[in-house]
Amino acid sequence: MTLRQLYFTRFGFAIAWAALVLVTGADRLGPATVALLVLYPAVDVAAAIVDARRAAPRKTRLLYANVAISTLAAIGLAVACASGIPAVLRVWGAWAIVAGLVQLFVALGRRAMGGQWAMILSGGLSVLAGTSFLLAAGADDPALTNVAGYATVGGIFFLVSALRLRREAVIEPSVEATAERVRNA
């Protein structure tokens, strides 16, 4: 899978996920909403694993850190759902901050591939959004509407990056793929 294909997939998932959160109820934690809340970081785990498996070995440390962070987020969200929306927003906010920093650093390392300015911007905005979720947790009537908006904006950034990447750009060529290209040159 190319990085471009992964980004298109992440875009589609984010948009569908946000719509489902709004339809199932952003103001309450019913079973469908709880499942969706846990699913989002779980998909992030899967995407980071796909990305890491295709990346050059020396470039996977942050991707595997993201796997750990998003796994903890999924578990934390499952637990937080029992305590209500404010607890969910606190966990989501902390995850958005840390995962945003990871995304920012991964994208900075991939600048030469092109199309990464949107991921750099997305990582930085994720940090700001995470802070806003932490603050929103203390509001009088907190809701998950902004979480759906966060996923939508993130999905749009994935789409922009996918459109800006070269079609042939793989996630990051492995050592074997690079050696093969050199032999065939």
Side-chain angles (χ1 to χ4, degrees):
M1 172 180 280
T2 66
L3 187 57
R4 188 172 204 246
Q5 291 168 326
L6 182 62
Y7 284 0
F8 276 129
T9 302
R10 302 256 348 233
F11 161 71
F13 172 76
I15 299 303
W17 182 90
L20 287 171
V21 166
L22 293 175
V23 168
T24 62
D27 57 345
R28 66 189 184 297
L29 290 174
T33 304
V34 170
L36 286 167
L37 288 169
V38 174
L39 178 64
Y40 197 89
V43 167
D44 194 54
V45 167
I49 289 171
V50 168
D51 194 342
R53 286 186 176 165
R54 300 286 298 167
R58 67 190 190 313
K59 303 263 185 167
T60 60
R61 188 176 343 182
L62 284 174
L63 295 170
Y64 283 118
N66 191 52
V67 168
I69 292 162
S70 294
T71 299
L72 290 173
I75 294 166
L77 286 165
V79 172
C81 284
S83 297
I85 290 177
V88 167
L89 288 173
R90 285 184 194 97
V91 172
W92 195 280
W95 175 50
I97 290 168
V98 177
L101 288 170
V102 169
Q103 182 181 27
L104 175 66
F105 290 122
V106 168
L108 284 170
R110 291 179 169 170
R111 284 185 319 267
M113 295 176 70
Q116 292 300 302
W117 66 267
M119 291 294 94
I120 292 168
L121 185 58
S122 178
L125 287 175
S126 185
V127 172
L128 296 175
T131 303
S132 76
F133 295 138
L134 294 174
L135 295 172
D140 291 335
D141 194 21
L144 301 172
T145 308
N146 289 342
V147 170
Y150 168 79
T152 301
V153 171
I156 291 168
F157 279 120
F158 277 115
L159 175 62
V160 169
S161 279
L163 294 171
R164 305 263 319 152
L165 281 170
R166 297 182 311 268
R167 288 186 195 275
E168 70 278 2
V170 292
I171 290 176
E172 290 197 44
S174 65
V175 173
E176 294 83 15
T178 303
E180 182 67 24
R181 276 191 229 141
V182 169
R183 283 191 295 264
N184 292 333

